[in-house]
Amino acid sequence: MRNDAMISARLGSRVHYAFADPLSILAHWDGIDYINIAKYGYRSLLDAGFFPLYPLTIRLFHYVFGSYLISALVVSWLSLVGGIYFYIKIMRRLGLVGKTTNLFFAIAPFVLFPTAVFMIVTYTEGLFAFLALASIYYALTKRYYLSGIFMALAGLTHITGVFLIILNGLILLEEKVGLKAVVKSLAVGSLGVLGFMIFSFIRFHNFLEFLKSQTHLHGWLKANYLTLISHTSYLNILFVILLIASAVYFWKKRKSFAIYALLFLLIPVIGGQWGGFNRYVIMAFPIPLMIYDMLKEKQIYVLAIMLTAIFWTYTLLQYAAGYISS
């Protein structure tokens, strides 16, 4: 049973991680929960909203490094490298970069996205970016089984993994892959989310406990649109505008990308609040692709990258100080 004292005590432990290590500034809030799950397992209903692959990977790396903090960060950093690798491969597949392209400038809108800081701290975003981008690349190259495998792993990593099922299904159809192959890929890709649902039922006696727990911790699924409007921020508004703009931009080029971008708007609409939204849109990759493709040959592109770098730094300083707006 939940009680207010237990919830208050748990929330109070999220301000910082008790390490005598300078890197402890990279472990705050949900990042502490992932480390604690890696260390102790799923102990209470409050843990149910955290998907298992990231803490499981931390636990495996702990056998090598002997530190949960270092293990969590190494997983995030290696995942970011993998994510960048597949992001570049996606850009090449789409014809956005060539052999003479300055790849640093090409990937800058992605790695310096204002909230991309969460890919280098003890959060699941880095691992999810790697797995999600890998699944997208393999869908673009018609390797539907590989796409399905990475989709399944992404589904064990982050709640927005369900968006990939829609995205990759549409990509495979755009690539003229046979319907039977599409169904096989999506069936494999759904195993991650289904597996976590089964675990939730075994551990917490509820297939959808990972959703239910969010209603207690963050007020998800309790739509109050007046509160949604009154508690918005300039960054929320900017991301909504960018999602809509990227959907319009890709509608004639790649409807799959456009629809995928619009799916992120369901987070505040259905949830009724902005919690997590600014982090989740990191993987709305049509946004950085649009920014690069539209501005790469214009002088304003450098200014745009400078601005995103400033916001990235600002977010990192906020996070290191123990504060996150989402």
Side-chain angles (χ1 to χ4, degrees):
M1 295 290 292
R2 285 187 178 86
N3 58 67
D4 292 340
M6 181 175 70
I7 292 175
S8 297
R10 185 63 179 278
L11 292 176
S13 71
R14 293 182 177 189
V15 179
H16 62 83
Y17 198 73
F19 279 113
D21 189 313
L23 291 175
S24 63
I25 63 172
L26 299 179
H28 293 287
W29 295 87
D30 290 6
I32 300 171
D33 287 308
Y34 284 115
I35 291 176
N36 284 336
I37 292 170
K39 192 173 183 178
Y40 304 111
Y42 286 85
R43 296 173 295 173
S44 72
L45 291 172
L46 295 174
D47 293 327
F50 297 92
F51 280 57
L53 188 58
Y54 182 53
L56 177 61
T57 310
I58 294 171
R59 190 176 185 88
L60 292 175
F61 273 66
H62 177 262
Y63 290 111
V64 177
F65 295 102
S67 164
Y68 286 98
L69 172 63
I70 298 300
S71 298
L73 292 172
V74 169
V75 172
S76 293
W77 297 343
L78 290 178
S79 296
L80 178 57
V81 172
I84 291 171
Y85 171 78
F86 280 107
Y87 186 79
I88 292 171
K89 291 182 78 70
I90 289 170
M91 295 188 81
R92 291 194 190 281
R93 180 70 181 179
L94 298 175
L96 296 178
V97 297
K99 293 182 179 179
T100 60
T101 301
N102 185 320
L103 291 179
F104 174 79
F105 281 102
I107 66 173
F110 174 61
V111 297
L112 294 178
F113 195 78
T115 53
V117 163
F118 289 96
M119 293 195 290
I120 64 167
V121 298
T122 61
Y123 270 62
T124 193
E125 267 67 26
L127 180 60
F128 179 69
F130 163 57
L131 297 171
L133 290 169
S135 76
I136 294 163
Y137 171 72
Y138 288 122
L140 286 168
T141 54
K142 306 181 184 181
R143 286 177 273 186
Y144 56 89
Y145 272 128
L146 276 174
S147 178
I149 291 170
F150 278 99
M151 257 193 289
L153 293 172
L156 280 171
T157 306
H158 203 284
I159 192 169
T160 53
V162 296
F163 293 170
L164 295 174
I165 298 172
I166 299 171
L167 169 64
N168 288 327
L170 292 172
I171 289 175
L172 290 170
L173 291 175
E174 289 173 345
E175 296 296 328
K176 310 298 186 203
V177 174
L179 184 59
K180 185 180 291 187
V182 175
V183 172
K184 288 179 181 178
S185 180
L186 299 187
V188 173
S190 300
L191 292 178
V193 175
L194 290 175
F196 189 45
M197 290 174 65
I198 293 170
F199 170 80
S200 295
F201 180 77
I202 294 172
R203 180 66 180 83
F204 303 111
H205 311 293
N206 183 355
F207 285 109
L208 298 177
E209 187 62 38
F210 62 93
L211 290 178
K212 184 180 178 182
S213 67
Q214 297 297 330
T215 66
H216 292 273
L217 285 176
H218 300 298
W220 280 19
L221 306 178
K222 296 180 179 179
N224 183 340
Y225 297 112
L226 290 177
T227 302
L228 185 67
I229 295 171
S230 63
H231 284 72
T232 191
S233 67
Y234 291 118
L235 206 55
N236 297 147
I237 296 170
L238 173 62
F239 288 158
V240 168
I241 292 171
L242 288 173
L243 286 170
I244 295 172
S246 63
V248 172
Y249 184 78
F250 279 107
W251 189 255
K252 291 185 178 180
K253 299 173 183 287
R254 284 259 177 192
K255 282 189 172 57
S256 56
F257 289 9
I259 292 171
Y260 176 70
L262 292 175
L263 288 175
F264 284 86
L265 296 177
L266 294 177
I267 297 169
V269 170
I270 295 177
Q273 47 87 56
W274 295 102
F277 177 72
N278 291 345
R279 284 186 286 113
Y280 295 173
V281 295
I282 295 169
M283 264 313 297
F285 69 95
I287 292 176
L289 288 180
M290 173 193 69
I291 292 172
Y292 176 72
D293 200 31
M294 286 183 63
L295 303 179
K296 61 185 176 183
E297 296 180 358
K298 297 179 173 62
Q299 290 184 346
I300 195 176
Y301 183 66
V302 175
L303 176 61
I305 297 305
M306 289 175 62
L307 287 173
T308 61
I310 290 170
F311 278 113
W312 186 95
T313 305
Y314 176 68
T315 306
L316 176 62
L317 293 174
Q318 279 192 311
Y319 180 85
Y323 172 77
I324 52 172
S325 59
S326 61

